[in-house]
Amino acid sequence: MIFEYIFNSISLAIIAGVVAVIVDYLFLKGAISEIEKGEYGNYSVIIGVLSFLLTAYIAIVFGSIVLPEQGASTFMLVWSAELILITLVAYILLFFTAKREIKSRMITFEKAVPKYFDKNAILGFALGHYVPGILFLMIGGMEPIFNYLDKVIPNNPIGGVVYLALGAIYTFIIPGILLAKTQGWLITLLGYGTKS
């Protein structure tokens, strides 16, 4: 009875969402001020785990109320969207802080890249959300995508090879590219018009 209330309560999910936003905001605000001073920044594993658990709870409630017949697929897709959104906020914060410092000529592009995109607390926090977010996105999207592929790819040997190739691309290539290249894309974008 109590678990049914906890995992079907929109009001508790909203409270969890507010707490997650506050916790993430306070952590990012404190960490970016430390990084601006040239320090590594404090990465608290407890904050990362709390953020991770709160987003999981929100995804469970959303999945059980909005689309209960979809189950795990909805849960994974909602959770991945939350985790990727948190990552994007962290990356955008790093990007625009570095851009502001470069524009105000406080540091050069060559010094900003290691300071903001090499090793710091926000990158650890962001990657701790981004890697599972991408993986959950791929896992949650597998069922609908492969069901669609079953309908459009012919049932013959060539269709089987195409099915396997598309499955391998979806499962291994796309997540690998996203995980390996996102930070590089941000650095490249930061370099446009700012290199000295």
Side-chain angles (χ1 to χ4, degrees):
M1 176 96 173
I2 186 96
F3 288 114
E4 191 173 311
Y5 172 73
I6 289 172
F7 290 108
N8 288 317
S9 173
I10 295 274
S11 58
L12 286 178
I14 290 170
I15 291 169
V18 169
V19 169
V21 168
I22 291 170
V23 165
D24 291 347
Y25 170 77
L26 291 175
F27 167 74
L28 292 172
K29 181 181 175 189
I32 198 68
S33 65
E34 290 179 12
I35 293 167
E36 284 177 331
K37 295 176 195 170
E39 300 170 6
Y40 173 76
N42 266 341
Y43 178 68
S44 174
V45 175
I46 294 171
I47 292 174
V49 170
L50 179 63
S51 173
F52 205 72
L53 292 175
L54 287 170
T55 56
Y57 173 72
I58 295 165
I60 289 169
V61 171
F62 182 81
S64 68
I65 291 175
V66 177
L67 295 168
E69 66 279 351
Q70 295 298 321
S73 182
T74 302
F75 165 71
M76 289 291 205
L77 290 172
V78 171
W79 198 12
S80 69
E82 292 171 323
L83 294 173
I84 291 170
L85 182 65
I86 290 169
T87 302
L88 288 176
V89 168
Y91 274 146
I92 288 168
L93 177 66
L94 284 171
F95 177 81
F96 282 110
T97 305
K99 192 81 155 172
R100 181 180 39 123
E101 282 194 14
I102 293 169
K103 292 263 187 211
S104 65
R105 303 206 185 274
M106 292 168 62
I107 59 175
T108 63
F109 171 78
E110 289 75 19
K111 290 183 181 175
V113 170
K115 182 177 178 181
Y116 289 99
F117 292 103
D118 189 16
K119 293 179 185 171
N120 62 51
I122 294 179
L123 277 179
F125 181 79
L127 288 175
H129 287 74
Y130 192 51
V131 172
I134 293 294
L135 295 176
F136 295 160
L137 178 65
M138 295 299 135
I139 292 168
M142 271 185 188
E143 183 182 355
I145 286 175
F146 287 124
N147 285 343
Y148 176 75
L149 289 177
D150 282 340
K151 294 175 186 170
V152 296
I153 294 178
N155 191 11
N156 59 35
I158 294 173
V161 170
V162 170
Y163 187 83
L164 283 174
L166 290 175
I169 289 169
Y170 177 79
T171 308
F172 301 110
I173 308 292
I174 293 173
I177 289 172
L178 287 174
L179 292 173
K181 297 290 186 178
T182 302
Q183 196 168 330
W185 291 331
L186 283 171
I187 292 169
T188 303
L189 187 61
L190 181 65
Y192 287 124
T194 59
K195 287 186 182 175
S196 50

